[in-house]
Amino acid sequence: MEITIATRAEDYSRWYTDVIAAAQLADYAPVKGCMVIRPNGYAIWERMQRALDDMFKETGHRNAYFPLFIPESFLKKEAEHVEGFAPECAVVTHGGGKKLDEPLFVRPTSETIIWDSYRNWIQSYRDLPLLINQWCNIVRWEMRTRLFLRTTEFLWQEGHTAHATEEDARQEAMRMLHVYRRFAEEWMALPVLYGEKTAAQKFAGAIRTHCIEAMMQDGKALQAGTSHELGQNFARAFNVTFLNEKGGREFVWATSWGVSTRLIGALIMAHSDDKGLVLPPKLAPIEVRVIPVFAKQPEKVGTAAEALRKELSQTLRVDMDARESASPGWRFVDWERSGIPLRVEVGPRDIDNHTAMVVRRDTGEKTSLPREGLADRLAELLMAVQKNLYDRALAFRNAHTYQVDDYEDFKRLIDERPGFYYAHWNGSSVVEAKIQEETKATIRVLEHDVEASPGKCMVTGEPSSRRVVFAKAY
RNA sequence: CGGGGUGUAGCGCAGUUGGUCAGCGCGCCUGCUUUGGGAGCAGGAAGCCGCCGGUUCGAGUCCGGCCACCCCGACCA
């Protein structure tokens, strides 16, 4: 199949969808706003799942599964929550050929149905903390969708925890925020800002929402993960109490946190290039592809390539493209747009010289390496690729991060050169809304762990204790 | 929901003022020759021309209606 990929410069959003098509990550589904995640795309999700799931388990969480359908009455129990989600819910009104007595909402998130269970599970402080995660699909009826970034149905994980004190819940929310930060940095090779959302942008039903924010190659921000402090809102709504050590009855404190298949979109937009997908080795389903160049000695080359594949497979995720019907050039391009970090060519010359030709996807760098000890060298190279992708993304973010103090400058610059803008803000939701209205940019994050730097709000001139991060966002 | 665009073979497209307009490229299948950056030749399969209804002797082509999808905006992870 002939596949062409638009360049990022000529049409960024076209480039994005072209990369997905070329790498066969996903197709558009017959249902508007939905996608078919193809094996290549799903394999990336599986690697993400495995890494994240391990991190969740290490932090004491267990997996469970709650129903897809949520009674309408459940959703209505928490006022702010239902207000936030009702407009984007799919609702089942009929089942078994009959109209249902009570409509069933397809979960847009599972707080309500989970807290209904927690009421029964939690009696005493000895039952706390309760640390549960679930992997599932959810549905949000979005007006405008994009493959992976925003689809009507998507896959995610949602952690839901219950704690005896506000402080415990707060620490849990922060712990998971940092799990996400580490995952982004170490696995996705994606530098992120982390901190708190403004009141206007927090999750419906939360006290505070924390997030990680990444920069894409067009300078726009992408929220890549969220962690919420839910206070006692859901405990009150579902009457979930526990007896403390002194025999007193208290409402429990909650958190929830999630990341979704959107992360695959983040991966694509952070690292890929005009030739196609680029994957960080740690998340690449295949780390190394062996490509035999048959030339005049197909049997000799085939045997050597298979031996190499087998040997490398002992320590690396390897596959081989030994199609004799496809020319080497074709197979190189195929490897390129698939985003596999390393390519190893095996041809007659390599065999004679006891070497292999190794090519990096991230830099295109081509090196002839000794056949002896190749697996170890490839492992080192994979680490180098992983690091380079992170460094490159960080350098890009730094190059597109600015400070601005004058609102007129801001209005102009946010259009002229998209990126992260550090600016002072007076903390007012009204001002925040005005800025969004006039520039389409939003406050992405109030960063944690940064030093106070007093200044004046760029809009009102009122005092501000610190700069916040503005950007246009996906 | 507004603005823009597109529906013809698996993918990308062409198809003039209605009359061999059912076509091209890529892919796919068969055979032979090839193989260190998108191979060549020969043969072959494949299309309800988005849907419905008009006009007409005759409609991818003209008219009316509908539907779907993509892109750009308003909601959101």
Side-chain angles (χ1 to χ4, degrees):
Chain A
M1 195 193 311
E2 186 182 38
I3 298 168
T4 53
I5 299 173
T7 64
R8 286 161 292 183
E10 69 190 15
D11 188 341
Y12 191 82
S13 61
R14 173 80 183 278
W15 165 80
Y16 175 74
T17 51
D18 285 351
V19 169
I20 291 170
Q24 302 186 339
L25 300 181
D27 288 341
Y28 290 101
V31 180
K32 177 180 166 63
C34 294
M35 64 176 169
V36 175
I37 304 178
R38 304 183 63 172
N40 288 350
Y42 200 80
I44 297 170
W45 181 237
E46 286 180 312
R47 288 208 53 81
M48 289 180 163
Q49 280 186 301
R50 182 176 303 186
L52 284 163
D53 203 64
D54 286 347
M55 294 168 97
F56 298 158
K57 301 279 171 57
E58 280 164 19
T59 43
H61 303 84
R62 301 177 72 196
N63 286 330
Y65 185 80
F66 295 84
L68 170 69
F69 298 124
I70 300 179
E72 182 180 32
S73 56
F74 281 30
L75 222 64
K76 286 183 170 169
K77 284 187 182 181
E78 214 289 326
E80 193 185 345
H81 186 64
V82 69
E83 195 181 321
F85 279 110
E88 53 183 285
C89 284
V91 183
V92 179
T93 57
H94 289 72
K98 289 189 300 188
K99 188 167 189 296
L100 300 174
D101 292 336
E102 180 179 4
L104 296 173
F105 279 55
V106 179
R107 62 180 164 225
T109 178
S110 302
E111 272 78 4
T112 57
I113 199 152
I114 286 178
W115 278 82
D116 180 68
S117 281
Y118 283 5
R119 181 176 56 248
N120 301 319
W121 295 0
I122 298 167
Q123 325 263 328
S124 144
Y125 70 93
R126 297 182 203 277
D127 298 322
L128 298 173
L130 180 58
L131 306 174
I132 302 287
N133 175 67
Q134 86 165 340
W135 291 95
C136 65
N137 61 336
I138 65 176
V139 168
R140 294 181 187 174
W141 218 261
E142 301 292 347
M143 298 186 204
R144 203 166 145 241
T145 56
R146 295 190 89 197
L147 291 175
F148 290 114
L149 294 181
R150 174 164 295 108
T151 47
T152 297
E153 180 191 11
F154 58 94
L155 306 181
W156 79 344
Q157 62 61 221
E158 46 180 329
H160 295 273
T161 68
H163 306 266
T165 68
E166 179 170 23
E167 179 57 20
D168 286 354
R170 204 191 65 76
Q171 282 180 12
E172 166 74 3
M174 295 305 295
R175 179 184 308 121
M176 301 321 288
L177 178 72
H178 285 281
V179 163
Y180 291 154
R181 180 183 59 75
R182 257 178 46 225
F183 176 75
E185 292 172 353
E186 294 172 15
W187 290 79
M188 297 178 67
L190 186 67
V192 292
L193 302 182
Y194 62 97
E196 194 172 330
K197 282 293 188 191
T198 63
Q201 302 210 26
K202 70 180 175 58
F203 173 74
I207 303 297
R208 271 187 289 276
T209 290
H210 307 272
C211 66
I212 55 173
E213 292 280 333
M215 186 186 287
M216 303 295 101
Q217 290 182 71
D218 59 355
K220 288 169 83 171
L222 184 79
Q223 182 171 320
T226 54
S227 180
H228 313 290
E229 296 178 51
L230 300 175
Q232 294 174 309
N233 290 347
F234 286 94
R236 285 184 212 281
F238 287 85
N239 194 28
V240 184
T241 60
F242 70 99
L243 286 178
N244 63 27
E245 295 171 58
K246 292 170 185 155
R249 186 167 291 278
E250 296 181 45
F251 285 116
V252 305
W253 297 81
T255 78
S256 69
W257 28 273
V259 295
S260 72
T261 37
R262 162 176 262 203
L263 292 180
I264 296 173
L267 219 48
I268 297 164
M269 287 207 296
H271 300 311
S272 297
D273 61 24
D274 291 344
K275 292 174 179 174
L277 188 64
V278 175
L279 290 173
K282 290 177 81 169
L283 288 176
I286 302 294
E287 295 169 297
V288 178
R289 174 170 287 172
V290 176
I291 299 184
V293 178
F294 293 107
K296 306 256 179 332
Q297 309 161 33
E299 277 182 35
K300 176 178 164 187
V301 171
T303 306
E306 171 54 24
L308 179 61
R309 187 202 64 77
K310 202 169 171 187
E311 180 187 319
L312 297 179
S313 295
Q314 290 175 4
T315 52
L316 300 165
R317 296 188 297 280
V318 181
D319 78 355
M320 181 158 78
D321 185 351
R323 290 175 297 173
E324 291 191 53
S325 58
S327 69
W330 175 267
R331 286 176 287 154
F332 296 164
V333 171
D334 191 68
W335 156 83
E336 217 152 44
R337 65 186 173 211
S338 301
I340 298 166
L342 296 179
R343 171 178 106 214
V344 176
E345 299 170 27
V346 180
R349 292 205 295 272
D350 303 296
I351 296 169
D352 293 344
N353 299 333
H354 304 286
T355 60
M357 189 62 79
V358 177
V359 186
R360 284 172 64 152
R361 176 63 183 86
D362 61 334
T363 60
E365 193 183 344
K366 205 165 176 175
T367 329
S368 185
L369 295 176
R371 174 70 175 73
E372 188 75 24
L374 186 61
D376 291 341
R377 287 292 293 120
L378 293 180
E380 290 166 20
L381 266 175
L382 288 167
M383 282 191 283
V385 172
Q386 183 84 25
K387 180 172 189 312
N388 178 50
L389 289 178
Y390 180 86
D391 291 346
R392 205 159 78 173
L394 181 59
F396 182 90
R397 189 183 78 185
N398 289 339
H400 296 262
T401 295
Y402 315 98
Q403 281 199 6
V404 64
D405 293 311
D406 181 79
Y407 187 46
E408 292 308 314
D409 288 345
F410 175 77
K411 282 200 274 196
R412 182 169 46 82
L413 290 171
I414 195 77
D415 270 330
E416 278 177 14
R417 36 164 224 209
F420 287 174
Y421 283 81
Y422 281 81
H424 283 288
W425 167 64
N426 69 351
S428 154
S429 294
V430 176
V431 171
E432 183 184 6
K434 170 187 158 80
I435 295 170
Q436 180 170 2
E437 171 82 14
E438 293 176 356
T439 67
K440 310 292 180 211
T442 50
I443 298 174
R444 301 315 304 162
V445 61
L446 281 46
E447 284 184 280
H448 293 321
D449 307 328
V450 294
E451 288 176 19
S453 58
K456 290 179 182 173
C457 173
M458 69 170 168
V459 177
T460 66
E462 294 173 86
S464 151
S465 62
R466 49 99 59 90
R467 289 177 186 269
V468 301
V469 180
F470 286 89
K472 292 189 181 179
Y474 278 98

